[in-house]
Amino acid sequence: MRFRHPDGTLVHLSYCTNVHPAETLDGVLAQLRDHCEPVRRRLGRDRLGIGLWLARGAARALVDDPVALRGLRTELDRRGLEVVTLNGFPYEGFGAEAVKHRVYRPDWTEPERLAHTTDLARLLAALLPDDITEGSVSTLPLAWRTAFDEHAAATARAALTTLTERLDALEELTGKSVRLALEPEPGCAVETTADAIAPLTGLPGDRVGVCVDTCHLATSFEDPATALAALDAAGIGVPKAQLSTALHAEHPHRPDVRAALAAYAEPRFLHQTRTVTATGLHGTDDLPEALAGDTLPDTAPWRAHFHVPLHAPPAPPLTSTLPVLQDALTHLVGGARPRTRHLEVETYTWQALPPGARPRTRGRLADGIAAELTLARDLLTDLGLKEIP
């Protein structure tokens, strides 16, 4: 979905396909048929943006076979879909029964991450619509924090520098500009937007910036205005933002609240949990750990890294952090000029929701994704952006 900002800038809204992951090219093509096109039809639009997730195997198949790449581009066009951004965070196995810490490997200290991201940038340049010259690839925030020392930081920085050189060469060759966006996430070497400033300062050009995920922002109790102002002051851009909401528990000391939270403590993904007290930010690496005894202070609200559907907050006594998303969106695209041109709804946790809230059919999932995009669209038009048919 395309929107025109009041200053004339084109802003894209998409949804991320890691919600129905596939490891192969055939699986990606099936996604377009079985999920993405039905969402577009539910929205009544001729064109729908998708934030494509290409696992390592699917990406290599496309790089190795130009005919297959042209076929994917043709299939996107045929189904009324367009791609301006890729989710390069998960490398592979995102549909496994237990993802947890695996999603952070390989990290930016390992050559496989640089090679995969280079491939994604080249593929995106070929998949961008003819009238679009700018694409974005989001990626993990360097690494999980443990064992990330000064040597690791230097190795990751060298890899990012190499990538910027490759992105410069790609633009010279294709005329398409692709930018990388590190996605701060609780528990990682770059947990907050503030943590991103030091490792990104001084990189050549403006090829690498931050992907602002509003669930992660809220989980770490960051104030959107403060976070974005700090990035602006440091000269660090926001090539992409992910529209998502976290799980919020206002009174975590209450037994009924803990029981409600326990329904979200599922085995597939990490659900880092945070709280802020007078002594600062406290956290655990997963929700079950937070619920176990007195590991996490319960005198102040908790937030958990669980991507709650935008339009469907959890039942009381829990809520979502939709107000943080709305605040962030106001500061991202509600000003005189947009800070980003790529917005992506990224609720990948539909099948990890408590059993009663999970969509039981493809049609129900498509209904839910379409409802999320409708809410996002309404938020954008309320900010003065106009949807382009």
Side-chain angles (χ1 to χ4, degrees), residues 268-333:
R268 179 176 295 181
F269 302 111
L270 276 185
H271 301 297
Q272 302 92 317
T273 305
R274 299 288 185 266
T275 188
V276 175
T277 70
T279 58
L281 187 68
H282 303 265
T284 62
D285 286 344
D286 211 349
L287 183 53
E289 182 185 351
L291 292 169
D294 58 357
T295 305
L296 195 64
D298 62 5
T299 55
W302 286 4
R303 289 177 179 172
H305 172 216
F306 195 115
H307 288 223
V308 179
L310 305 189
H311 70 294
L318 303 179
T319 60
S320 80
T321 58
L322 182 61
V324 178
L325 183 156
Q326 293 172 298
D327 189 20
L329 196 59
T330 297
H331 289 93
L332 283 165
V333 299

Side-chain angles (χ1 to χ4, degrees), residues 16 18-19 243-244 307-310 345-350 372:
C16 187
N18 63 357
V19 61
L243 308 184
S244 55
H307 288 223
V308 179
L310 305 189
V345 172
E346 197 218 9
T347 305
Y348 59 83
T349 44
W350 281 94
E372 288 193 290

Side-chain angles (χ1 to χ4, degrees), residues 34-35 42 351 358-368:
D34 297 337
H35 299 288
R42 279 165 171 76
Q351 298 305 333
R358 295 175 193 171
R360 295 299 182 183
T361 65
R362 289 177 183 171
R364 291 289 180 86
L365 177 59
D367 290 341

Side-chain angles (χ1 to χ4, degrees), residues 2-56:
R2 298 184 178 193
F3 296 81
R4 186 71 66 187
H5 188 273
D7 79 340
T9 302
L10 186 64
V11 175
H12 296 266
L13 172 65
S14 62
Y15 89 90
C16 187
T17 64
N18 63 357
V19 61
H20 18 252
E23 301 291 316
T24 66
L25 178 55
D26 285 344
V28 171
L29 294 173
Q31 286 177 352
L32 306 185
R33 178 193 67 228
D34 297 337
H35 299 288
C36 303
E37 186 176 9
V39 171
R40 178 184 65 76
R41 292 186 181 280
R42 279 165 171 76
L43 291 167
R45 298 297 183 272
D46 294 332
R47 173 174 53 198
L48 175 66
I50 58 172
L52 197 60
W53 176 61
L54 295 173
R56 179 58 176 167

Side-chain angles (χ1 to χ4, degrees), residues 228-247:
L228 292 170
L231 292 179
D232 286 349
I236 295 171
V238 182
K240 176 178 181 177
Q242 288 175 325
L243 308 184
S244 55
T245 58
L247 195 61

